[in-house]
Amino acid sequence: MPPSFITSSLPATPSDSESNDPLHSLLLATDLFPLAQDVTKFAGVDYATSQAGILDVTLNGTIVKIKHDGGAAGCGGKVWPAGELLSRYLISARDNETYLAHEALWKESAKRKMKIIELGSGTGLVGLALGNAYSLATKDGAVENAGLDIVVTDQANMLSLMEDNIKLNELEDTVSAKVLDWGTDLPDNYVNPCPDVILAADCVYFEPAFPLLEKTLLDLTGDNTLVLMSYKRRRKADNRFFQSIKRSFRIEEIKDYEEYKEFSRDTVFLYRLIRKNLRR
C-alpha cells in the first residue's frame, strides 16, 4: 500500500522585484516551493528531500532507479507523491482489464507504436516507470512496429537529470528526453501526429504557469489523445487551473484504481482530461 505522505509547505509568492516572465519564474521554483521537512516517504522508502542520491524502488512489481538532485535544479529534481500515484496506476493497468489505461495504452501498444509525452517530468519518474514496466512485459520479445515511444519533457535545466535517469534504467531504446517549455509554440513533430497519451504528474503548483500549461495541453491534445493527470492538492488557488481548463476539457476523476483511497486521503488525485472540441 502507498505510504502516508507528509504535506509540504505552501508555495511562496514571488516578490515584486522578481521577473514578471512566468518562464523565468519557473526556473526559480525551488525557492517558491520549499519543503518544511528533510525526510519524507516515497514508495515506503525514507527519502531525504534536500540531499542528492539514487532511489531504488519497486512500484507494483516494477523496479525503478531514480537519481534526484535534492532540489539543485528546482523542485523537479525531487520525487513527489503524485508521480508515484500515476506510475502505480499505469503499471497496474497492464494486468487489470477494467482500467482505462489497459485498453487505451497496453492493448494498443501490442498492435502499434504508441507516442507518449510526459509533461513537467522532472526526474522522469512516470515515463521511466512506464518504460520499465513495458520492458518487463516484453522481456520475451516485443511485436515488430509496436510498443511505446516515451518522451519525458521539462525545461532545459532538467534535461541532464532526465537523461541520466534514462541511462540509469537502461531505457535508451524506449525513452528519450526533450526540452519543452509550456506556453511556447510546439515543433511540428510534437503534433504531427499528436500524442496517443499525455502524462502529467504534479504539474499544478505554481499559478503563473497555469495558462502556459493549459495552452500546451490544448496544443498537444488530439481528438483521441488519452490525457492522464495526477495532482497533489496544496492550496485553494489550484482550483483556478481546473476551472479554467474546463472550458476546453471535460475532467473525470479516476477512482477505480485499487490503491486510490490511500492516495486520495493525502489529497493526491488522478484525473482524465477529455478534449471537448475537435482539432481543426
Side-chain angles (χ1 to χ4, degrees), residues 164-217:
D164 287 348
N165 279 325
I166 291 170
K167 294 176 184 177
L168 188 62
N169 288 272
E170 300 180 356
L171 288 173
E172 292 93 336
D173 292 337
T174 304
V175 184
S176 60
K178 297 283 194 278
V179 173
L180 195 161
D181 292 320
W182 301 343
T184 60
D185 292 336
L186 298 172
D188 186 64
N189 63 304
Y190 277 94
V191 293
N192 188 20
C194 289
D196 296 294
V197 181
I198 296 173
L199 306 171
D202 225 342
C203 290
V204 179
Y205 63 89
F206 182 50
E207 198 166 351
F210 291 176
L212 308 180
L213 176 57
E214 180 178 353
K215 180 182 185 305
T216 294
L217 281 170

Side-chain angles (χ1 to χ4, degrees), residues 41 45 61 68 76-77 138 151-152 160 163 197 205 236 261 271:
K41 289 278 189 181
V45 177
H68 54 97
T138 58
V151 182
V152 293
S160 62
E163 290 176 337
V197 181
Y205 63 89
K236 293 181 180 179
K261 285 185 178 180
Y271 301 112

